[in-house]
Amino acid sequence: MGPRADEKYLGTVTGGRLVESSKGTPGLQFDIEEQTTGDQIFHTIWLSAKSKEYAEKDLEVLGITAAHRSDASFWSYKLDEHLRGQSIAYGTKSEEYKGKTSIRVAWISKPRTSDGLAGERGLATAAASLFGGAAAESKPETQGENLIGDDEIPF
């Protein structure tokens, strides 16, 4: 059946590559597999001065940092590996081009939990804020008898 228009989905990125439009605009195209049905769809983030602001937001969703974006080696050799296996949320839309209607990805975001917050840390913050607490700053260091001292390391 495939994806439907105007729906929200959870998916896994299965691969990605650089592509070029017919007018020479570079883009990042990546494949998404819907997590429940296995339906496939792709999305292209166009990398131009005109779309830079939107591209940066979508690239951040994919964990592509400013350091990655400015590294030609990342784009050439590490991009596909970096993208594979990432979970994303996405929405779809219907689009007509040259008389043909197709379903396209309209937006991407990090997956959300049922309370609208991203990930486990979001849940912890939601629980704490209910009782007047604040967000967790960082994971506390482990203490206890399972730690090994520097003098006990054999090398």
Side-chain angles (χ1 to χ4, degrees), residues 9-151:
Y9 296 97
L10 291 176
T12 302
V13 178
T14 59
R17 69 215 140 271
L18 289 174
V19 295
E20 186 175 19
S21 75
S22 60
K23 295 183 179 182
T25 303
L28 164 58
Q29 188 174 84
F30 58 96
D31 306 309
I32 307 166
E33 180 177 290
E34 203 277 326
Q35 289 181 352
T36 305
T37 63
D39 289 337
Q40 302 280 326
I41 194 166
F42 73 89
H43 182 53
T44 305
I45 301 170
W46 295 109
L47 307 172
S48 68
K50 188 176 178 181
S51 65
K52 183 179 178 184
E53 182 181 331
Y54 297 106
E56 285 177 332
K57 290 177 184 177
D58 282 353
L59 294 171
E60 285 290 333
V61 167
L62 297 169
I64 299 175
T65 64
H68 290 133
R69 293 191 296 267
S70 62
D71 182 2
S73 298
F74 173 82
W75 292 103
S76 295
Y77 307 113
K78 301 173 186 172
L79 178 64
D80 185 63
E81 180 182 344
H82 176 83
L83 293 173
R84 284 183 185 274
Q86 288 198 40
S87 293
I88 62 168
Y90 62 99
T92 55
K93 66 180 179 178
S94 177
E95 186 172 277
E96 187 174 329
Y97 181 70
K98 293 186 178 182
K100 183 180 176 187
T101 302
S102 60
I103 305 301
R104 312 280 280 170
V105 173
W107 54 264
I108 64 171
S109 70
K110 293 182 180 180
R112 302 286 183 198
T113 60
S114 60
D115 62 6
L117 297 169
E120 183 178 322
R121 192 165 174 183
L123 291 173
T125 299
S129 66
L130 178 64
F131 300 101
E137 294 177 17
S138 63
K139 187 175 181 178
E141 297 214 12
T142 305
Q143 296 180 4
E145 53 197 50
N146 292 334
L147 296 179
I148 299 173
D150 287 343
D151 56 333

